[in-house]
Amino acid sequence: MKISLNAQILLGAALGIVAGLGMAAAGKDAAVTQNGLYVAGLAGGVFVDLLKMILVPLVFTSIAAGVANLRMHRQMHRVWTLTLGFFVLSMAIAIVLGMSAANLFAPGKGLSLDLFRDAMQGFQAKRMGLAEFAVSFFHGLFVNPFAALAQGNVLAIVVFALFVGVALVMGGERYRNVLALLQEGLELTLLIVGWVMRLAPFGIMALLAKLAATQNVLLLASLGKFVAVVLGTTLLHGAVVLPLILFAVTGVGPLKFWRGAREALITAFATSSSSATIPVTLRCMQQHLHVSPGIAGFVVPLGATVNMDGTALYEAAAALFIANLAGIDLDLAQQLIVFFVAMLAAIGAPGIPSAGMVTMVMVLQSVGLPAEAIAILLPIDRLLDTVRTAVNVEGDMVGSLVVQRLVNGPRSALENI
Ligand code: ASP
């Protein structure tokens, strides 16, 4: 019998917690605990290293190839501007929702995890004011790409990848080999991410064993609150905010939208992958919701990699949750960093299951939180990924309808584009 990766991850998490509690019961001086902690530290560390290793090529190829896949045609400029504008705006609303809820309900507050103590050292040094942050943020945007790639400077890589993507669009046919190379590079990277995810059950088991052996059990109660906060705000965004935007701009009501979009939304929920859902999303857009192939063909595939409301909301809320767990109050400047980096992380995450977990590392690191903290998030990630992927895809569909309405005016001239 073949056990799905989801089930394996849950099993790994459960075994890890049991082993960790066992070690805690045996006492920290027992040989079994010391050996167990050594192995768990080694295995968990390697797993986190693998995630960090793949982050750089993944972000570069995903963004460069995603942007380059735009095709030039009439009104392209308007479609492109409106689409990107919609993506950024809807993700910004989602992040504000997630961060507000995380600040309001403060899941994880009051707990301080010993695991983070080492990683937390030097955190003070990273604190800076808003003005200082602005200077260093803009200064860090444009960097020699080879240095950025070598140093794992993700923000600079994202910016350079955008330049490459736009240049490929402008260059058109002339650079088709470079584009093909990038696309194959992305596929290859995703293949490797798949392998890394196969190790996830073991990595999670190791990280959680170490965690459970050294932490208190109140963590689970805190996770319950965090899950409720994330699911609640994600559903609010998907069931209220996006339908409201849709209705305000296009006049399409929520029921009509749901009837036209449900195949894609359910597929996204079941597969946890925006990319795998693309064929179904396109079908719904063109056949049920009457969006022209030109607009749907542009907005949907681009949105599947770039526009992720659910992921953006999650990454921001999760960073605040981890900060609470680590007993750190993020000030306004740091919350702003989380806002921007969560958006970049959502843009950088490809539309595959748990991709947000890979780019989550960069959100945590942006404010000096330990990357190892994703061990806490991974066991519940598969559950949250279902809903956030559905909302990610919903955002692409609402975006297509909104862009079509704004480009074509009140009476959709379907074949204009
Ligand atoms: N699974 C999500 C998607 O495909 C990405 C993520 O992990 O947040 O849209």
Side-chain angles (χ1 to χ4, degrees), residues 5-19 200-209 379:
L5 188 61
N6 283 359
Q8 288 177 28
I9 287 177
L10 285 175
L11 196 67
L15 286 177
I17 291 172
V18 170
F202 301 104
I204 290 162
M205 183 160 67
L207 289 165
L208 282 180

Side-chain angles (χ1 to χ4, degrees), residues 10 19 21 39 55 111 119 133 135 141 145 148 154 165 176 204 220 226 242 247 271 275 279 302 315 318 337 365 399:
L10 285 175
L21 292 177
V39 175
L55 179 68
L111 285 174
F133 159 67
V135 171
L141 285 182
V154 177
R176 63 180 180 279
I204 290 162
L220 281 183
F226 171 65
L242 284 175
F247 185 71
T271 59
S275 297
L302 183 69
E315 304 226 1
I337 299 179
Q365 286 183 336

Side-chain angles (χ1 to χ4, degrees), residues 71 256-257 259-264 277-301 396-398 400-401 404 412 414-415 417:
R71 290 171 303 279
K256 187 174 174 208
F257 175 71
R259 275 198 298 272
R262 68 186 157 197
E263 269 175 29
T277 311
I278 287 175
V280 189
T281 317
L282 281 174
R283 198 180 103 94
C284 287
M285 292 322 298
Q286 291 170 24
Q287 294 189 359
H288 307 329
L289 293 164
H290 310 294
V291 175
S292 67
I295 289 182
F298 166 74
V299 180
V300 169
D396 303 337
M397 301 177 98
V398 170
S400 306
L401 285 159
Q404 164 145 301
S412 277
L414 286 183
E415 296 311 322
I417 293 284

Side-chain angles (χ1 to χ4, degrees), residues 83-98 237 242 245 303 305-313 316 339 342-348 392:
T83 303
L84 290 190
F86 176 86
F87 286 175
V88 169
L89 201 73
S90 65
M91 280 192 282
I93 296 173
I95 295 175
V96 168
L97 262 183
H237 187 74
L242 284 175
I245 296 176
T305 32
V306 169
N307 182 40
M308 296 193 179
D309 294 7
T311 304
L313 185 156
F339 176 92
M343 188 175 296
L344 291 173
I347 291 172
N392 287 346

Side-chain angles (χ1 to χ4, degrees), residues 272-275 304 308 311 315 349-357 381 385 388-389 392:
S272 282
S273 169
S274 312
S275 297
M308 296 193 179
T311 304
E315 304 226 1
I352 57 165
S354 279
M357 275 293 97
D381 189 57
D385 202 6
R388 74 168 185 255
T389 307
N392 287 346

Side-chain angles (χ1 to χ4, degrees), residues 80-307:
W80 148 274
T81 335
L82 285 169
T83 303
L84 290 190
F86 176 86
F87 286 175
V88 169
L89 201 73
S90 65
M91 280 192 282
I93 296 173
I95 295 175
V96 168
L97 262 183
M99 290 181 75
S100 307
N103 275 307
L104 195 66
F105 298 107
K109 197 124 199 159
L111 285 174
S112 189
L113 296 189
D114 293 345
L115 178 73
F116 298 151
R117 205 175 279 144
D118 292 347
M120 282 293 106
Q121 276 172 5
F123 183 77
Q124 288 304 106
K126 286 199 164 210
R127 286 175 174 265
M128 57 167 99
L130 193 54
E132 235 179 307
F133 159 67
V135 171
S136 77
F137 180 81
F138 288 108
H139 198 63
L141 285 182
F142 311 107
V143 173
N144 165 5
F146 297 100
L149 288 166
Q151 290 159 4
N153 178 347
V154 177
L155 187 60
I157 297 171
V158 168
V159 172
F160 184 68
L162 285 173
F163 274 106
V164 172
V166 173
L168 284 169
V169 174
M170 298 298 181
E173 267 304 282
R174 194 163 160 203
Y175 300 111
R176 63 180 180 279
N177 291 337
V178 180
L179 178 55
L181 187 73
L182 276 171
Q183 254 155 354
E184 287 186 14
L186 174 61
E187 283 163 26
L188 213 66
T189 318
L190 291 178
L191 194 67
I192 299 172
V193 172
W195 297 341
V196 176
M197 286 312 292
R198 295 204 155 272
L199 294 178
F202 301 104
I204 290 162
M205 183 160 67
L207 289 165
L208 282 180
K210 189 173 168 197
L211 192 71
T214 48
Q215 306 310 313
N216 65 42
V217 282
L218 279 176
L219 174 67
L220 281 183
S222 292
L223 281 185
K225 194 170 168 193
F226 171 65
V227 170
V229 166
V230 168
L231 282 184
T233 38
T234 309
L235 287 173
L236 182 71
H237 187 74
V240 179
V241 176
L242 284 175
L244 266 180
I245 296 176
L246 179 67
F247 185 71
V249 180
T250 68
V252 174
L255 271 182
K256 187 174 174 208
F257 175 71
W258 163 248
R259 275 198 298 272
R262 68 186 157 197
E263 269 175 29
L265 296 181
I266 293 168
T267 310
F269 185 90
T271 59
S272 282
S273 169
S274 312
S275 297
T277 311
I278 287 175
V280 189
T281 317
L282 281 174
R283 198 180 103 94
C284 287
M285 292 322 298
Q286 291 170 24
Q287 294 189 359
H288 307 329
L289 293 164
H290 310 294
V291 175
S292 67
I295 289 182
F298 166 74
V299 180
V300 169
L302 183 69
T305 32
V306 169
N307 182 40

Side-chain angles (χ1 to χ4, degrees), residues 67-80:
V67 172
N69 272 324
L70 303 173
R71 290 171 303 279
M72 296 286 229
H73 54 68
R74 272 181 300 148
Q75 298 198 52
M76 191 67 227
H77 183 66
R78 201 160 146 67
V79 175
W80 148 274

